[in-house]
Amino acid sequence: MSQAGSEGAGQATMRVAVVGGDGIGPEVIDQGLRVIDAAGVTLETERYELGGSRYLADGTILPDSVLDEWRGFDAIYLGAVGTPGVPPGVIERGLLLKMRFELDLYINRRPFRTDSHDFVVIRENTEGSYAGEGGFLRKGTAHEIATQGSVNTRMGAERCIRYAFDLATSRRNHLTLVHKTNVLTFSGDLWQRAFDEVAEEYPGVETAYNHVDAASIYFVQDPQRYDVIVTDNLFGDILTDLGGAVSGGIGLAASANLNPARTGPSMFEPVHGSAPDIAGQNKANPIAAIMSGAMMLDFLGAGDAAERIERACEACVSTEGSTVAIADAVIAKL
């Protein structure tokens, strides 16, 4: 266990499961914890060695016993997972997706802010094409068939849409649904009907709709049009990486995988990947991990510290140097 400072008298200590993961993950998470400490927030942490390296060592991915332990934590702080030599999908499904499904992390929240735009993408995080529905017929033959379904429930779509409307009311009162209703006439229809019905409960929020291909163009040419975007799992996965690319690069992109009902811990992670080619060299930019840590603090009720960290990161977004030096610069700005 480790302890950081305390933000405010009487505030309960936050219990956080820390998964450094692979590659640069442990390096950037360590700096995120340093910044949280410097911001004056108490964390009680426990580290878990999980990821591609652990899988290669002994076959462990995410045991059910660990999931049970995590249910007693307030949050999970994850660096990055992925190691050369691990077959595709093993860690993604066995660790990341299992975590999302089992802990009901149904909201993926990704903020994008620069001097010229400020928008948030809310991605449904537990359904759609990633639910695992599908299979093979005659695999390995010339007549092989692969199916990959998209599972969309009214409950899953509506709770995500409702979260996005609530967020829009705390920002600029504008919400855009992104889908492909002209081609995906079943899932798209469900999402559109749920969106329109929930919208009636939020008369103060202006709404819009974009096909996902049009949204891809607008992300590049006119991101200023957006405030909050809500979309499904697959489209959200793609659009948020594009959002990172137009907002300073994927290396600066933070994310939150949320259980808004708080029936279990939410998970916070940078989305830049494990970058094994620079691991251990003190080269990785820790800003995304630090910003993810700020999102964690905000979700757990330490909003003042989160805001100070976010402002410090924004002041250091162009800072160059080593992993430690960039974190030092952020701490100096707190």
Side-chain angles (χ1 to χ4, degrees):
M1 300 282 186
S2 65
Q3 294 283 332
S6 176
E7 185 198 47
Q11 179 173 307
T13 300
M14 303 173 190
R15 297 191 68 229
V16 177
V18 177
V19 184
D22 300 310
I24 63 172
E27 301 172 57
V28 296
I29 285 296
D30 283 350
Q31 299 311 310
L33 292 171
R34 280 186 65 221
V35 172
I36 290 171
D37 183 17
V41 177
T42 297
L43 294 185
E44 181 182 326
T45 64
E46 186 165 342
R47 293 182 181 261
Y48 290 82
E49 298 299 326
L50 296 170
S53 297
R54 175 72 183 274
Y55 172 76
L56 291 176
D58 63 13
T60 298
I61 304 177
L62 177 55
D64 290 340
S65 60
V66 171
L67 270 174
D68 290 339
E69 289 180 23
W70 284 353
R71 290 186 174 94
F73 284 84
D74 297 308
I76 302 163
Y77 193 25
L78 174 70
V81 291
T83 302
V86 179
V90 170
I91 299 301
E92 292 83 354
R93 284 210 162 272
L95 178 60
L96 297 176
L97 292 186
K98 182 177 181 179
M99 192 187 307
R100 293 175 191 172
F101 298 151
E102 293 296 326
L103 299 176
D104 203 20
L105 307 179
Y106 64 87
I107 294 295
N108 182 272
R109 178 169 171 170
R110 294 274 300 274
F112 302 101
R113 183 187 303 171
T114 70
D115 291 340
S116 63
H117 63 256
D118 176 4
F119 65 92
V120 180
V121 177
I122 301 302
R123 162 192 170 193
E124 199 291 317
N125 211 31
T126 60
E127 296 188 347
S129 301
Y130 295 178
E133 192 276 330
F136 292 101
L137 291 173
R138 299 188 289 273
K139 186 176 182 180
T141 74
H143 302 286
E144 180 174 345
I145 299 170
T147 63
Q148 191 81 55
S150 177
V151 178
N152 298 264
T153 69
R154 173 60 188 247
M155 180 198 76
E158 183 172 327
R159 67 182 182 174
C160 181
I161 289 165
R162 192 172 297 279
Y163 179 91
F165 269 104
D166 286 338
L167 178 60
T169 64
S170 69
R171 290 173 51 89
R172 302 193 301 276
N173 284 297
H174 191 280
L175 178 61
T176 303
L177 170 65
V178 172
H179 211 282
K180 190 68 174 171
T181 56
N182 59 336
V183 176
L184 303 179
T185 53
F186 302 122
S187 61
D189 183 69
L190 184 153
W191 273 83
Q192 185 70 71
R193 283 185 289 108
F195 185 85
D196 292 344
E197 290 173 25
V198 174
E200 294 178 2
E201 303 176 29
Y202 295 84
V205 177
E206 183 181 358
T207 61
Y209 170 81
N210 289 161
H211 289 324
V212 65
D213 42 355
S216 299
I217 296 171
Y218 297 145
F219 266 43
V220 175
Q221 295 183 346
D222 186 24
Q224 296 85 359
R225 69 169 55 211
Y226 293 120
D227 178 20
V228 181
I229 295 163
V230 65
T231 189
D232 81 348
N233 207 338
L234 178 60
F235 294 148
D237 192 3
I238 297 167
L239 283 177
T240 51
D241 281 352
L242 180 57
V246 301
S247 303
I250 201 70
L252 302 178
S255 77
N257 296 265
L258 303 177
N259 176 334
R262 300 177 191 264
T263 57
S266 294
M267 186 269 280
F268 302 82
E269 62 171 334
V271 297
H272 47 52
S274 60
D277 57 318
I278 60 170
Q281 300 176 44
N282 196 27
K283 290 182 177 180
N285 190 324
I287 291 289
I290 295 169
M291 289 289 287
S292 298
M295 295 180 76
M296 178 174 69
L297 297 186
D298 185 60
F299 188 75
L300 296 180
D304 290 345
E307 185 176 351
R308 287 191 288 116
I309 292 172
E310 289 173 2
R311 288 199 304 264
C313 285
E314 289 168 5
C316 297
V317 73
S318 299
T319 301
E320 298 181 355
S322 70
T323 307
V324 173
I326 293 173
D328 286 343
V330 172
I331 290 170
K333 294 288 186 179
L334 289 174

